[in-house]
Amino acid sequence: MKHVLFIATGGTLACRQSENGLIPALTGEDLLTFLPGISTLCTVAIENLFSIDSTDVTTAHRTQMAELIFKEYANYDGFIISHGTDTLSHTAALLYHMLRNIDKPVLLTGAQKPIGVPNSDAERNLLDTFRVIASGYHGVAAVVHGRIIRGNHLVKVDCEDMDPFRSINAPLEGTIDLDGTVHLYPKASVSGTFKLVPVKDTSIFVLKLIPGLNPDIFSMLSAYSHVIIEGYGSGGIPVYLENGLKTLIEQGTQVYITTECLSGSVDLTKYAVGCRAASLGAISLGSHTIADTVASILCGTLTDET
Ligand code: ASP
């Protein structure tokens, strides 16, 4: 039987109603009382790392999660993190980039409704993570609504629906049926030694293009080492912003272009607006999501690998 470290961090699934809205209140021990069948799947140790809304989860909190898993790696067959859904994609992406060559499962899950309330998705999502551990999966992934999504491809697309996440620009790693049957899709085995990649560079800004954006914004961005511009379609910069972009790049800021489209890739060779941006030194992010890009910049590992 697999031995699992269950790391509780808060989020809706651990919430109870307060005078000021939902607030995380349940411990890891409380959460597991809702899963009486768990002892037939795994043995579990619990770490109550923190109990916060994921809006408040910082890079330092995420680093704490990665360091805990790295420290306890030899002692467990897998790791489960219960987490708020709002920033789950950022935590999953950063853990994906920090925990390299991982041959054990690190599974994140959350829910749209607190555990124990009518029609909550929390029990299923939480139980499914244990099922996926028992199935022999390895890697960093989110398990939500029957989908297993690789950590660096996760995007939350709905803030109410019980099926809020999609795997963007990558196939699912597997699925879980309503009866709990896990289907894992073929995946390469790990080569290389497991290692913890530290966070190196936090000087990142994301700028969203909107029609009529004031070009003065570029003069404020040179304080950042990395600026990600979320543009339109296949990517490009409007002609009236080119001078600002040029100056920013000349001042030493790395500028990357991504797209507001949920899937498909940026291609700065397709249109003249893209070619001009590339000739000024802007770098295409291809099919990387923003969460994946931010995480890989933080770790200094941004490559074309998806
Ligand atoms: N605001 C909550 C959080 O991210 C939402 C959720 O968990 O679904 O912690």
Side-chain angles (χ1 to χ4, degrees):
M1 197 175 272
K2 307 272 188 195
H3 189 40
V4 176
L5 181 60
F6 176 48
I7 303 167
T9 74
T12 295
L13 87 171
C15 276
R16 287 294 177 255
Q17 195 67 46
S18 78
E19 280 175 7
N20 298 312
L22 289 167
I23 188 160
L26 304 183
T27 63
E29 288 81 357
D30 295 332
L31 292 173
L32 292 190
T33 61
F34 290 88
L35 308 180
I38 210 72
S39 56
T40 62
L41 286 172
C42 304
T43 55
V44 187
I46 299 169
E47 176 81 34
N48 290 298
L49 198 55
F50 26 87
S51 180
I52 53 181
D53 191 293
S54 78
T55 309
D56 285 326
V57 173
T58 63
T59 300
H61 290 115
R62 297 187 170 98
T63 301
Q64 234 182 304
M65 296 179 211
E67 287 173 347
L68 173 64
I69 292 167
F70 189 74
K71 181 166 79 78
E72 297 292 348
Y73 198 65
N75 299 328
Y76 295 92
D77 300 306
F79 301 84
I80 291 174
I81 300 174
S82 60
H83 194 287
T85 64
D86 287 346
T87 68
L88 193 67
S89 61
H90 287 280
T91 302
L94 191 55
L95 293 181
Y96 177 89
H97 286 284
M98 289 185 79
L99 300 169
R100 297 311 294 175
N101 305 322
I102 191 159
D103 62 2
K104 292 181 181 181
V106 173
L107 303 178
L108 299 103
T109 196
Q112 296 282 57
K113 289 193 177 185
I115 204 158
V117 308
N119 304 317
S120 171
D121 49 339
E123 287 88 341
R124 176 188 179 193
N125 289 343
L126 204 48
L127 191 54
D128 278 354
T129 56
F130 288 96
R131 290 172 169 143
V132 174
I133 297 238
S135 75
Y137 178 83
H138 71 270
V140 177
V143 174
V144 183
H145 199 73
R147 301 173 202 270
I148 307 170
I149 302 176
R150 203 154 91 211
N152 61 332
H153 285 273
L154 188 70
V155 172
K156 185 174 179 181
V157 297
D158 199 304
C159 47
E160 292 172 358
D161 198 90
M162 296 295 147
D163 183 13
F165 288 98
R166 291 293 177 274
S167 179
I168 300 301
N169 290 326
L172 292 176
E173 302 264 283
T175 56
I176 309 108
D177 296 337
L178 278 170
D179 69 2
T181 309
V182 177
H183 307 273
L184 296 183
Y185 301 153
K187 179 168 177 163
S189 53
V190 174
S191 60
T193 312
F194 175 56
K195 63 175 178 180
L196 181 69
V197 177
V199 166
K200 300 180 180 98
D201 192 349
T202 56
S203 180
I204 306 169
F205 189 87
V206 179
L207 175 70
K208 183 165 175 58
L209 282 192
I210 53 164
L213 182 75
N214 187 334
D216 291 349
I217 186 72
F218 283 96
S219 62
M220 296 174 206
L221 297 180
S222 58
Y224 292 93
S225 307
H226 307 269
V227 170
I228 301 165
I229 299 179
E230 187 195 285
Y232 316 117
S234 303
I237 292 292
V239 69
Y240 82 99
L241 295 179
E242 280 181 0
N243 273 341
L245 175 69
K246 184 167 177 285
T247 309
L248 184 62
I249 292 173
E250 282 170 358
Q251 286 172 340
T253 296
Q254 296 262 37
V255 177
Y256 312 88
I257 311 272
T258 183
T259 176
E260 66 182 7
C261 295
L262 259 188
S263 55
S265 294
V266 169
D267 180 357
L268 296 182
T269 65
K270 192 168 176 186
Y271 296 99
V273 288
C275 293
R276 291 200 309 263
S279 72
L280 294 173
I283 300 162
S284 165
L285 284 176
S287 59
H288 292 275
T289 64
I290 288 187
D292 181 35
T293 305
V294 169
S296 43
I297 293 173
L298 286 170
C299 293
T301 56
L302 184 61
T303 65
D304 287 339
E305 176 215 343
T306 57

